[in-house]
């Protein structure tokens, strides 16, 4: 069983949490002009790495707050925990963030640049 | 709907010496079973092939078999990084059925079921296909209503499906607890009598042996490390045994599909998650059908060896670790014990996980990509074993003709752009 360090409550068993999947997917703005393909990418396509993964978790039966986790999907090691709205600070997380194909998508550009 | 004139393939294992039969058994008994031929050759990669299938699970091997037997493509190879059937094919709970809601699903799963019926003969291999029926239980008024709606939709597609009352269920499965006082009582259910189970390893071995007989190279312990292309065309694959030249590559790697797609710069809608199963110590025959429950999330059958085989839902986070988290089996055992109180005294023998490729609409992907000659067969997630022959059959057709047939067409990747999803969470929401 995983033990996750909730930044607000401390370490708790995985049973208390729900997992929100890939972190840092920005919604393209409503008035953007992106194509159906680009919108489909935002909506459905997912980063699914074998290795370091940035994901969102929610302490569902605790403080009910969301936070981000850098986790290795092979060893299940938790490498970093950081607040929603911020970016990973340690090397592994930073690298995963910068190297994700998500950063190069039209949807992401439409969300970030405006 | 489903075509009744399926080309099942032909040409393999005509050699009397090689065919398995009662005579062969007697002949080999005389030599103390020391002279059985290898089921398939130990092949090493040639410099080039007309097509390469990556992934030696049931789907990959079936694809190769139908490429050779239906489409006459015999200069092909199956590349497997471990041993064949060592992925989800050899880890699943072997439930087979075709009772899905939507027409697109009925078409592909029933195509598979028709191929299952007769597959042992096609392959000359005892795959222990047993149409013992699959019974899905409802635990609430609402679920029962939804179920009868599904039964009608399924029947409209010409697929057998019947609603059962609790009393009928008790008659069908005497060891089940239909006491209405339990937390999730049995309110009814529906059954597909043509559903059942098959021996998973035998499916991999049977396809491998028959494909090998037609000249297909089955290369084990060979890991694909890169997909090479020239512009928008595939030209070969890199492996730990060197470069292999080919113009057609079919990726059938289940939980590792996103990893493979990454090598080609393609993005998929998949999440790789552990799915777990366990078996008990063997006991005398007590359950001669398959029971599934979406609400308490558990499915169970009894193997021919006598083990109770149990499975449940996927773990809630992505993983490539091939082991699951403990709360999942704990939950499935609690559900099993409530429905089958005798199970509380059973000891569990083995427990394992497989990495399944879950798709947002709980339907598979059988698709060309925007790279010429690169095809994906994935997204079967928690429920692709039942589709093995059908998946291989239509995927072989897609690779050979470079265009999807009627069954495969709805499963193209483009549905995540057009929004024409095939939402089978109702039928596939329970992992099976
Ligand atoms: C516990 C469990 C229970 C299940 N129960 C059922 C059920 O009851 N009914 C049902 O219908 N389905 C069930 N499923 C789902 C079913 O097992 C799968 O959908 C199906 O077996 C997938 O077959 P496949 O051939 O596509 O994949 P696999 O059998 O996983 O084969 C993929 C192969 O690709 C290989 N590979 C990966 N990467 C590489 C590489 N780089 N180079 C070379 N080879 C590579 C792997 O080693 C593997 O052997 C279950 C799954 C699990 C895990
Ligand atoms: Zn908390």
């Amino acid at each position: 069983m995983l033990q996750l360090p909730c930044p607000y409550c401390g370490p708790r068993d995985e049973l208390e949490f729900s997992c929100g999947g890939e972190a840092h997917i920005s919604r393209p703005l409503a008035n953007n002009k992106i194509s159906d393909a680009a919108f489909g990418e935002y909506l459905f396509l997912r980063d699914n790495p074998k290795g370091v993964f940035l994901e969102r978790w929610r302490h569902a039966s605790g403080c009910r707050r969301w936070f981000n986790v850098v986790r290795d999907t092979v060893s299940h090691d938790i490498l970093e925990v950081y607040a929603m709205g911020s970016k990973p600070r340690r090397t592994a997380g930073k690298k995963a963030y910068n190297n994700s194909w998500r950063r190069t998508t039209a949807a992401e550009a439409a969300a970030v640049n405006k | 709907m489903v075509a009744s004139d399926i080309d099942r393939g032909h040409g393999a294992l005509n050699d009397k010496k090689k065919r398995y039969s009662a005579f062969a058994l007697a002949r080999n008994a005389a030599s103390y079973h020391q002279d059985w031929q290898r089921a398939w050759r130990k092949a090493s990669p040639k410099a080039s092939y007309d097509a390469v299938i990556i992934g030696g699970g049931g789907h990959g091997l079936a694809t190769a078999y139908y490429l050779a037997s239906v489409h006459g493509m015999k200069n092909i190879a199956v590349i497997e990084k471990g041993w064949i059937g060592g992925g989800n094919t050899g880890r699943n709970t072997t439930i087979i059925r075709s009772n899905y809601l939507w027409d697109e699903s009925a078409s592909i799963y029933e195509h598979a079921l028709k191929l299952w019926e007769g597959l042992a003969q096609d392959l000359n291999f005892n795959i222990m296909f047993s149409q013992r029926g699959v019974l899905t239980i409802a635990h609430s008024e609402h679920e029962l209503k939804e179920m009868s709606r599904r039964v009608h939709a399924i029947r409209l597609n010409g697929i057998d499906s019947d609603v059962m009352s609790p009393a009928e269920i008790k008659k069908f499965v005497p060891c089940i607890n239909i006491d209405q006082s339990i937390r999730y009582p049995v309110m009814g259910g529906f059954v597909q009598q043509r559903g059942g189970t098959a021996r998973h390893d035998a499916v991999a071995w049977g396809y491998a042996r028959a494909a090998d007989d037609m000249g297909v190279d089955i290369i084990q312990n060979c890991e694909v490390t890169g997909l090479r292309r020239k512009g928008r065309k595939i030209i070969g694959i890199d492996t730990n045994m060197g470069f292999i030249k080919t113009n057609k590559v079919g990726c059938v790697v289940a939980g590792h599909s996103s990893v493979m797609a990454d090598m080609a710069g393609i993005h998929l809608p998949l999440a790789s998650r552990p799915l777990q199963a366990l078996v008990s110590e063997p006991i005398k025959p007590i359950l001669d059908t398959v029971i599934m429950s979406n609400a308490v999330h558990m499915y169970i059958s009894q193997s021919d060896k006598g083990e109770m085989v149990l499975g449940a839902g996927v773990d809630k986070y992505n993983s490539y670790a091939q082991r699951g988290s403990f709360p999942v089996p704990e939950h499935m055992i609690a559900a099993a014990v409530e429905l089958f109180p005798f199970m509380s005294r059973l000891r569990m023998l083995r427990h394992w996980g497989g990495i399944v490729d879950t798709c947002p609409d709980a339907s598979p992907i059988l698709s060309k990509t925007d790279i010429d000659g690169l095809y994906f067969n994935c997204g079967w997630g928690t429920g692709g074993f039942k589709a093995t022959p059908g998946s291989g059959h239509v995927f072989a057709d897609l690779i050979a003709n470079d265009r999807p047939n009627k069954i495969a067409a709805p499963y193209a990747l483009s549905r995540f752009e057009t929004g024409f999803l095939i939402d089978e969470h109702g039928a596939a929401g329970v992992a099976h």
Side-chain angles (χ1 to χ4, degrees):
Chain A
M1 178 145 32
L2 268 188
Q3 201 185 51
L4 287 135
C6 171
Y8 311 102
C9 313
R12 299 293 173 89
D13 281 349
E14 132 191 2
L15 274 174
E16 294 186 18
F17 297 88
S18 64
C19 182
E22 185 185 341
H24 307 291
I25 306 176
S26 324
R27 190 178 208 288
L29 302 177
N31 60 355
N32 70 64
K33 299 256 179 348
I34 65 171
S35 66
D36 284 357
F39 199 79
E41 196 163 32
Y42 152 74
L43 210 51
F44 296 118
L45 303 197
R46 289 293 172 265
D47 200 12
N48 185 23
K50 183 175 185 174
V52 180
F53 186 38
L54 311 183
E55 62 191 0
R56 301 169 305 162
W57 284 82
R58 186 168 65 104
H59 193 185
S61 14
C63 63
R64 303 178 71 186
R65 291 169 79 174
W66 286 93
F67 55 95
N68 291 315
V69 172
V70 183
R71 189 173 60 87
D72 188 310
T73 58
V74 180
S75 65
H76 292 186
D77 283 344
I78 289 165
L79 304 169
E80 189 180 341
V81 171
Y82 57 103
M84 296 305 283
S86 68
K87 286 178 190 166
R89 247 166 295 179
R90 296 206 204 129
T91 325
K94 255 181 163 156
K95 214 171 120 195
Y97 180 87
N98 291 326
N99 291 349
S100 168
W101 53 264
R102 176 80 59 195
R103 304 286 90 77
T104 64
T105 59
E108 189 95 336
V112 178
N113 293 342
K114 295 284 148 62
Chain B
M1 251 299 302
V2 177
S4 54
D5 54 342
I6 305 171
D7 181 351
R8 309 180 67 100
H10 36 73
L13 297 159
N14 287 324
D15 184 346
K16 280 225 174 59
K17 276 225 184 82
K18 279 202 204 157
R19 280 186 72 87
Y20 293 152
S21 67
F23 296 115
L25 203 59
R27 196 172 56 238
N28 280 282
S31 55
Y32 300 97
H33 298 291
Q34 298 298 304
D35 297 332
W36 287 103
Q37 69 277 18
R38 288 186 79 101
W40 57 88
R41 291 163 295 131
K42 186 166 190 278
S44 38
K46 289 188 217 159
S48 106
Y49 289 100
D50 296 340
V52 165
I53 304 301
I54 306 174
H59 289 231
L61 292 162
T63 304
Y65 170 75
Y66 293 114
L67 271 174
S69 71
V70 176
H71 303 280
M73 289 181 68
K74 297 183 178 173
N75 180 32
I76 63 174
V78 176
I79 307 287
E80 166 56 51
K81 74 171 173 185
W83 63 96
I84 61 165
N88 296 338
T89 297
R91 294 167 186 270
N92 76 87
T93 50
T94 77
I95 301 172
I96 295 170
R97 59 191 182 84
S98 64
N99 50 4
Y100 283 70
L101 178 64
W102 301 108
D103 296 355
E104 294 86 350
S105 320
S107 159
I108 195 161
Y109 290 105
E110 181 61 17
H111 184 62
L113 187 50
K114 291 226 167 81
L115 284 163
W116 280 115
E117 296 169 334
L119 190 61
Q121 285 73 21
D122 294 347
L123 300 179
N124 179 234
F125 204 102
N126 182 7
I127 54 161
M128 295 164 75
F129 180 49
S130 159
Q131 292 179 294
R132 59 184 65 186
V134 174
L135 171 66
T136 308
I137 292 171
H139 298 276
S140 69
E141 225 24 89
H142 175 78
E143 208 186 353
L144 193 58
K145 278 189 186 143
E146 198 281 326
M147 213 172 252
S148 22
R149 182 225 167 191
R150 185 135 61 95
V151 163
H152 291 305
I154 294 163
R155 290 170 78 124
L156 283 174
N157 274 321
I159 295 168
D160 70 303
S161 187
D162 293 288
V163 174
M164 272 190 179
S165 69
E168 286 167 324
I169 289 175
K170 184 73 186 167
K171 222 170 131 201
F172 189 54
V173 189
C175 62
I176 203 168
N177 178 14
I178 58 162
D179 189 337
Q180 294 298 302
S181 70
I182 62 177
R183 176 70 183 82
Y184 296 104
V186 174
M187 305 284 283
F190 83 109
V191 66
Q192 181 177 23
Q193 300 282 6
R194 285 167 62 240
T197 56
R199 168 107 195 265
H200 46 18
D201 300 319
V203 174
W205 299 335
Y207 272 122
R209 173 170 169 267
D212 169 89
D213 190 59
M214 285 180 289
V216 176
D217 282 350
I218 296 180
I219 301 161
Q220 304 187 78
N221 298 311
C222 183
E223 179 166 2
V224 175
T225 52
L227 299 171
R228 260 201 239 173
R229 52 183 222 228
K230 201 173 191 180
R232 302 309 295 173
K233 263 176 108 127
I234 217 79
I235 55 164
I237 59 171
D238 289 302
T239 77
N240 60 356
M241 296 185 184
F243 175 71
I244 302 172
K245 204 174 131 197
T246 184
N247 293 323
K248 284 180 186 257
V249 173
C251 294
V252 201
V253 294
H256 279 75
S257 298
S258 299
V259 177
M260 198 63 64
D262 254 358
M263 295 178 190
I266 292 175
H267 314 312
L268 298 174
L270 305 176
S272 294
R273 300 274 185 85
L275 181 62
Q276 308 181 59
L278 49 84
V279 295
S280 74
E281 58 188 328
I283 54 171
K284 288 196 171 155
I286 187 163
L287 186 64
D288 62 357
T289 186
V290 180
I291 311 287
M292 314 191 3
S293 162
N294 292 16
V296 298
H297 219 142
M298 185 274 304
Y299 38 98
I300 183 167
S301 65
Q302 188 172 20
S303 75
D304 291 356
K305 266 190 279 181
E307 304 152 324
M308 303 306 287
V309 182
L310 283 104
V314 284
D315 281 43
K316 61 184 169 191
Y317 46 88
N318 292 14
S319 168
Y320 285 85
Q322 278 200 152
R323 61 184 147 76
S325 192
F326 209 65
V328 175
E330 195 175 16
H331 172 96
M332 97 169 96
I333 288 170
V337 167
E338 189 167 68
L339 283 176
F340 302 98
F342 78 89
M343 283 196 56
S344 67
R345 280 161 298 155
L346 278 187
R347 276 165 300 199
M348 295 301 154
L349 274 195
R350 281 175 286 127
H351 159 236
W352 64 90
I355 301 304
V356 298
D357 40 344
T358 58
C359 206
D361 57 356
S363 285
I365 294 164
L366 290 147
S367 189
K368 295 172 65 162
T369 62
D370 50 16
I371 295 169
D372 277 354
L374 181 63
Y375 310 85
F376 271 88
N377 179 349
C378 58
W380 291 98
T382 60
F385 178 70
K386 64 178 71 66
T388 305
S391 156
H393 197 260
V394 300
F395 195 51
D397 193 82
L398 172 61
I399 293 174
N401 299 314
D402 195 41
R403 49 123 193 84
N405 65 18
K406 249 175 80 182
I407 298 176
Y411 294 99
L413 263 171
S414 59
R415 76 178 187 270
F416 300 101
E417 178 181 334
T418 59
F420 282 108
L421 302 188
I422 305 160
D423 185 356
E424 282 293 359
H425 283 285
V430 59
H432 39 61

